[in-house]
Amino acid sequence: MKHADIVNRMTAEEKAAFLSGKSEWESWNFERLGIPSIFMSDGPSGIRKQAGEGDHLGLNPSVPATCFPSSATLCNSWDAALTEEVGEGLGREAMAEGVNVLLGPGMNIKRNPLCGRNFEYFSEDPYLTGKLAAAEVRGIQSRGVAACCKHFAVNSQETRRMAMNAVIDERTLREIYLTAFEIAVKESHPRAMMSSYNEVNGVYANENRHLLTDILRKEWGFDGFVVTDWGASNDHVLGVKNGSNLEMPNPGLDSARELLAGVKSGRISQDEVDQRVDELLDVVLELTAEAKKVRQNHDDHDGSVQASCLDKDAIHRENHQLARRAAAESMVLLKNEDRILPLKSGTRVAIIGDFAFEPRYQGAGSSMVNATKVENIRDLAGGYDLQVVGTARGYRRDGSEDATLIGEAVSLAKQADVVLLFFGLNEQSESEGLDRTHLRIPQNQITLMREIQEANRNTVGIISAGSVIEMPWHSLFKGLLHAYLPGQAGASAMLDVLTGAVNPSGHLGETILNKYEDTPSYSYYPALERNSEYRESVFVGYRYFETADVPVLFPFGYGLSYTTFEYSALQVEESGIRFTLKNTGTRDGAEVVQMYVGMKDSALFRPVRELKGFAKIFLKVGEEKKVSIPFDDKTFRVRNRMTDRWEIEGGTYQISVGSSCRDLRLFASVEKQGDLEQLPYDREKCGCYYKADIRRVSDEAYEEILGYPVPSGSWNQKSLGINDALCQMYYAKSPIARKIYRVLDRKLKKSQAEGGVPDLNTMFQYNMPFRAIAKMTGGLVSMEMVKSIVEMVNGHFFRGMGGVIGGFFRNRKENKQYLRKLN
């Protein structure tokens, strides 16, 4: 142990308490031992440090902070250097606010476009996700603040996220869902990792030794601490035993007592507890020492440049400009017919759309930031070389039809040379705790765009949405700019791109498909009762669309520019590839070059091509550069479940280079010696995978790649348990429980129907399991009481009520006794 001197002086009670939160956002501190607490804050897109009483979902206000573009937006930059700068900006604000651990980046793979939290995640591709996440972690931690990668692992849906089991084969787990985390851990050494709510192959992620110990610590060399997602702890003893360090938020001291009892009974050893304490203590001492040093420097150099490290106003001003640049470089130009963009000097424009007045710039949930300054198009457009003939809202944000608004917008459109229509998904459509039910935008926006196109064919659409939407209406626009969720400076960034002050260089980090039914996981999403079966295996996103030759609207990696680029002279060497890139257009600009690798005659089933390298290259008009993209340990590897190793299959690999996964300009091949000797599959049993025909995978084929029978995920409708969700109370034996379910269900549906910001509190309650009541009530409810509540739900009212009442008084008494021992 690194800190045996301190650990050996701690009492058993102090050690047990240390491994759970003291408050909603803080760890325990013990002054007699010199152990300070650390403060954690949500923050994938900005610091969400609550000013008053803390809560997980951001129901109470937070301090002002810069709202950067969402991870889904920033991913479209394909720019690791820019992403690292954003990380530095986040780290600076965190340090100034006294935040030690920033809970981000979010880096789960976008398995399905309906996932309500996709706006918080980078990409459908693990390589791109890992490289950008590693860059953001480096930036955050360069400022003395710990980054916390999340959610580890296989967190692909929000529906019943705390009460579902991801059933996934080992190869898919390693190649698709863990590779991004592996890259981040090995390349940026994050000081914290957040475990996810869900089970992975029947074991909760926070108790999963395979994930937390065998892979994360032993194989990858992770040396930070593992924290639960808020309320994600199931069996605290098993969590600590298998590699989890800190249970959050504040479960009271019931969990600490549970851990002490576990040591006494032999469920966990004292050495295992000490090891978790030492791992957490190492990061706590490091972070607090760094924060103390920064503040000491500030005091010693007050009034100098050094003081700016804690000057919130100065940081906010600088970060606003950084957020603007990041947004501009991340927007994706999808269409540009007749070169309608960039807008010419003096163009008469009509600005239409509710989003031009009140922008949709961030997602909902625990990542929602109290932005320091939110720009809007209406107020800023006059500062550009355009003639604004007028502005009109055009549609209601809640989706309801309004003929008067449409009429005003159409009348205005007739007066303009070009119409700029701002539209997309409203706040209700994308949120933590809620999956989408479809990929459509509100119908009233489509009605408006059809009417406007009749009035003026020179229409440019500017989309605000956190993730994929269907676009059957795209032909109504000559120009389409996808801004995603661009953060607080999104309006100026949009106008910079529209007017040509910035040449768009964003490329899609996910596929925009024609219709949701084309999604590879369409038949398996979300979880059916308890199990979410990943039957599509490695065929996620473009890996499926390219291999199965499924038409898409805009492919992975796609993005237009105001200039053109020429690729030539590809050379393949042992260490990587080299080629020449030239700007052949009339504007300076940046191109995202992408390297894909595939193996045509593989003895395994594989995607036809996979991203294995990329670079963003800026070139002036007429300039050309030699571009190098290296091979690495992930370029040719495949996971063999039979040998439990990464191996290389010997043979000929195809190398392709281009501007998207379907716009490939250069091709070559390379021979590789391999060490794959034992094939993991019986081809006859899982032949559908070799054809990429994965929309209806049979049990036999799925079991062949799993290596074991498909587990049952059916709910036990005879009785509910502590790991069942409150939404399952519709079949509870207790009429009171069924009534509570109906109240929650009506409240949730009413919130969804009304539009606006989602009712996060109701959504969280609706989907959480009973056990979370003991983990999210600050010690008011013990696990003993939860078990009695479940008895009441199952029809044993008086017995259960007796247990709740008795448990309440025992819990209160034991908490007081424990606190006396800590003091």
Side-chain angles (χ1 to χ4, degrees):
M1 290 191 297
K2 290 181 68 174
H3 304 282
D5 56 328
I6 299 177
V7 175
N8 291 335
R9 288 161 49 211
M10 295 176 75
T11 66
E13 287 78 12
E14 287 170 333
K15 293 174 183 177
F18 189 55
L19 299 180
S20 292
K22 179 183 178 181
S23 69
E24 185 74 24
W25 301 109
E26 293 176 289
S27 67
W28 278 91
N29 60 294
F30 302 106
E31 291 183 10
R32 76 173 189 88
L33 297 164
I35 301 175
S37 66
I38 54 173
F39 194 97
M40 290 159 272
S41 169
D42 283 315
S45 299
I47 311 304
R48 191 181 74 84
K49 180 182 181 182
Q50 289 178 293
E53 186 176 351
D55 69 85
H56 172 43
L57 295 174
L59 304 177
N60 292 326
S62 55
V63 299
T66 307
C67 182
F68 286 97
S70 71
S71 295
T73 311
L74 193 58
C75 176
N76 295 331
S77 74
W78 292 62
D79 191 332
L82 175 64
T83 306
E84 187 166 339
E85 280 191 67
V86 170
E88 288 182 26
L90 288 166
R92 287 183 69 197
E93 283 198 36
M95 180 61 74
E97 290 291 353
V99 171
N100 305 108
V101 181
L102 190 65
L103 303 176
M107 43 191 304
N108 293 104
I109 297 302
K110 299 181 185 183
R111 178 195 181 202
N112 187 288
L114 292 182
C115 177
R117 214 167 177 179
N118 275 350
F119 64 87
E120 279 193 54
Y121 303 143
F122 287 102
S123 176
E124 67 188 34
D125 181 81
Y127 192 86
L128 178 59
T129 295
K131 291 293 184 179
L132 295 184
E136 185 169 315
V137 170
R138 285 194 296 270
I140 292 169
Q141 296 193 161
S142 71
R143 296 296 175 167
V145 175
C148 180
C149 299
K150 63 183 188 181
H151 307 89
F152 193 66
V154 206
N155 182 183
S156 304
Q157 69 177 58
E158 290 298 289
T159 303
R160 297 187 305 279
R161 58 183 177 169
M162 301 174 77
M164 55 79 59
N165 174 35
V167 181
I168 185 169
D169 69 282
E170 185 70 12
R171 178 185 171 193
T172 301
L173 174 67
R174 300 298 292 260
E175 291 186 15
I176 304 296
Y177 296 95
L178 295 190
T179 289
F181 288 101
E182 178 188 358
I183 292 171
V185 168
K186 290 182 176 180
E187 295 187 5
S188 63
H189 306 287
R191 302 301 284 132
M193 183 74 68
M194 181 187 288
S195 56
S196 58
Y197 285 118
N198 52 284
E199 292 175 299
V200 180
N201 292 325
V203 181
Y204 280 98
N206 191 63
E207 303 166 9
N208 198 307
R209 187 172 189 82
H210 182 51
L211 288 176
L212 302 186
T213 297
D214 297 342
I215 296 175
L216 181 61
R217 290 198 183 274
K218 292 183 178 179
E219 184 179 329
W220 297 349
F222 176 72
D223 60 357
F225 73 93
V226 175
V227 59
T228 69
D229 203 339
W230 268 227
S233 177
N234 170 53
D235 185 321
H236 185 49
V237 173
L238 287 180
V240 173
K241 183 180 183 65
N242 291 306
S244 180
N245 301 92
L246 181 59
E247 179 187 47
M248 291 296 289
N250 169 23
L253 293 164
D254 187 42
S255 290
R257 296 196 301 268
E258 179 185 339
L259 196 54
L260 291 175
V263 173
K264 186 175 181 179
S265 68
R267 289 186 70 209
I268 185 172
S269 70
Q270 187 61 57
D271 285 346
E272 289 170 323
V273 173
D274 289 354
Q275 186 63 43
R276 298 293 90 78
V277 169
D278 187 63
E279 291 159 355
L280 176 58
L281 185 61
D282 186 51
V283 183
V284 168
L285 295 177
E286 175 189 310
L287 295 176
T288 52
E290 183 64 27
K292 183 178 180 180
K293 183 173 73 173
V294 169
R295 296 185 190 286
Q296 184 63 51
N297 286 339
H298 173 268
D299 293 340
D300 292 344
H301 301 86
D302 194 26
S304 71
V305 176
Q306 284 287 338
S308 66
C309 66
L310 296 178
D311 183 343
K312 295 179 187 178
D313 289 339
I315 292 171
H316 291 160
R317 287 193 298 271
E318 293 173 15
N319 276 353
H320 185 81
Q321 294 306 313
L322 175 58
R324 175 179 179 174
R325 179 160 61 88
E329 294 187 24
S330 301
M331 293 179 184
V332 184
L333 183 62
L334 298 176
K335 290 185 67 175
N336 197 19
E337 294 177 2
D338 300 332
R339 296 185 180 179
I340 193 170
L341 294 176
L343 297 170
K344 295 178 177 61
S345 175
T347 301
R348 291 167 50 83
V349 297
I351 294 175
I352 298 174
D354 195 64
F355 288 3
F357 294 75
E358 298 174 26
R360 171 88 202 290
Y361 63 96
Q362 67 173 326
S366 61
S367 65
M368 186 176 287
V369 178
N370 178 15
T372 59
K373 173 185 177 182
V374 180
E375 300 176 346
N376 70 74
I377 295 292
R378 179 190 59 180
D379 292 345
L380 292 181
Y384 288 76
D385 189 9
L386 302 170
Q387 294 186 49
V388 180
V389 300
T391 60
R393 290 188 181 267
Y395 58 84
R396 292 190 180 277
R397 210 177 189 94
D398 64 4
S400 61
E401 297 285 349
D402 190 318
T404 300
L405 289 181
I406 291 178
E408 293 172 352
V410 170
S411 176
L412 182 62
K414 292 177 180 178
Q415 304 173 38
D417 299 328
V418 176
V419 175
L420 300 178
L421 178 58
F422 296 82
F423 65 97
L425 292 176
N426 59 25
E427 288 80 0
Q428 187 69 42
S429 300
E430 301 173 282
S431 172
E432 176 182 359
L434 177 72
D435 286 327
R436 297 159 69 188
T437 57
H438 57 76
L439 298 183
R440 302 183 297 276
I441 63 171
Q443 182 59 43
N444 65 340
Q445 296 183 19
I446 300 175
T447 300
L448 173 66
M449 64 179 66
R450 293 187 188 282
E451 293 288 333
I452 286 178
Q453 201 266 350
E454 286 291 321
N456 191 331
R457 295 185 181 277
N458 291 324
T459 302
V460 175
I462 300 91
I463 304 168
S464 294
S467 56
V468 173
I469 56 176
E470 293 174 345
M471 302 183 188
W473 33 259
H474 71 89
S475 61
L476 300 174
F477 296 95
K478 281 191 175 181
L480 266 182
L481 179 67
H482 203 324
Y484 273 70
L485 296 180
Q488 66 181 55
S492 56
M494 291 173 183
L495 289 166
D496 288 344
V497 172
L498 291 169
T499 59
V502 171
N503 189 346
S505 59
H507 285 239
L508 292 172
E510 59 189 344
T511 306
I512 296 181
L513 31 68
N514 285 308
K515 59 184 186 303
Y516 173 64
E517 289 76 10
D518 292 335
T519 305
S521 57
Y522 170 75
S523 302
Y524 320 118
Y525 190 93
L528 178 64
E529 297 192 356
R530 192 165 189 85
N531 280 355
S532 180
E533 297 177 352
Y534 286 60
R535 294 195 181 217
E536 71 277 6
S537 185
V538 296
F539 296 106
V540 177
Y542 76 91
R543 284 169 165 78
Y544 168 68
F545 300 125
E546 297 306 293
T547 307
D549 197 23
V550 176
V552 300
L553 188 58
F554 298 109
F556 174 80
Y558 174 88
L560 300 178
S561 170
Y562 295 152
T563 192
T564 56
F565 298 93
E566 179 182 86
Y567 294 67
S568 64
L570 175 63
Q571 295 177 282
V572 180
E573 301 169 344
E574 184 66 26
S575 60
I577 65 169
R578 290 190 300 165
F579 61 95
T580 301
L581 183 71
K582 182 176 182 180
N583 183 339
T584 55
T586 58
R587 288 176 177 265
D588 299 345
E591 171 73 325
V592 173
V593 296
Q594 302 156 43
M595 178 182 75
Y596 294 88
V597 176
M599 188 180 191
K600 186 175 181 180
D601 298 317
S602 174
L604 306 172
F605 61 82
R606 292 175 180 263
V608 67
R609 65 182 63 92
E610 299 177 275
L611 182 73
K612 297 296 183 179
F614 64 91
K616 193 165 191 175
I617 309 297
F618 178 83
L619 296 173
K620 294 182 178 296
V621 174
E623 183 183 7
E624 67 178 34
K625 286 183 180 178
K626 295 287 187 181
V627 180
S628 297
I629 299 179
F631 298 149
D632 60 23
D633 63 327
K634 298 164 190 68
T635 305
F636 303 103
R637 73 179 189 179
V638 66
R639 190 72 186 186
N640 190 337
R641 72 169 176 84
M642 299 298 289
T643 60
D644 195 28
R645 294 189 311 170
W646 291 107
E647 297 176 343
I648 294 176
E649 182 180 7
T652 304
Y653 289 82
Q654 287 76 43
I655 310 294
S656 49
V657 181
S659 188
S660 80
C661 70
R662 289 197 173 176
D663 181 9
L664 301 172
R665 315 286 183 86
L666 302 173
F667 303 89
S669 61
V670 61
E671 293 289 329
K672 295 296 295 183
Q673 296 295 317
D675 55 2
L676 177 68
E677 296 179 357
Q678 186 176 4
L679 295 179
Y681 310 120
D682 182 330
R683 189 163 184 161
E684 292 298 317
K685 292 181 179 179
C686 60
C688 60
Y689 288 106
Y690 285 83
K691 302 174 185 175
D693 182 15
I694 45 81
R695 299 299 298 278
R696 288 287 186 272
V697 173
S698 67
D699 285 354
E700 180 186 40
Y702 192 38
E703 289 173 354
E704 176 62 18
I705 68 166
L706 281 175
Y708 53 84
V710 179
S712 172
S714 298
W715 287 333
N716 178 5
Q717 298 205 13
K718 293 182 180 179
S719 64
L720 289 160
I722 63 171
N723 289 321
D724 288 318
L726 269 61
C727 62
Q728 294 173 237
M729 287 194 299
Y730 75 87
Y731 62 76
K733 292 181 179 178
S734 165
I736 298 175
R738 293 197 300 272
K739 175 67 174 177
I740 293 172
Y741 161 77
R742 288 192 294 270
V743 170
L744 284 173
D745 191 56
R746 281 198 301 268
K747 191 175 180 183
L748 186 60
K749 288 177 179 176
K750 181 182 178 184
S751 168
Q752 292 171 333
E754 290 175 349
V757 178
D759 184 347
L760 298 175
N761 194 37
T762 300
M763 287 193 298
F764 190 82
Q765 293 169 4
Y766 187 82
N767 285 300
M768 78 177 187
F770 290 96
R771 74 168 191 278
I773 300 172
K775 304 297 183 180
M776 300 290 287
T777 50
L780 184 65
V781 178
S782 67
M783 193 60 72
E784 176 192 0
M785 294 166 66
V786 167
K787 292 175 181 176
S788 296
I789 290 171
V790 173
E791 278 200 271
M792 295 168 63
V793 168
N794 286 327
H796 307 291
F797 179 81
F798 293 104
R799 188 170 69 197
M801 179 58 73
V804 170
I805 295 172
F808 173 78
F809 288 105
R810 276 189 294 275
N811 182 55
R812 187 172 67 172
K813 177 182 177 181
E814 291 175 359
N815 281 344
K816 289 180 179 178
Q817 292 173 342
Y818 204 121
L819 280 172
R820 284 196 292 269
K821 292 180 180 180
L822 293 181
N823 295 326

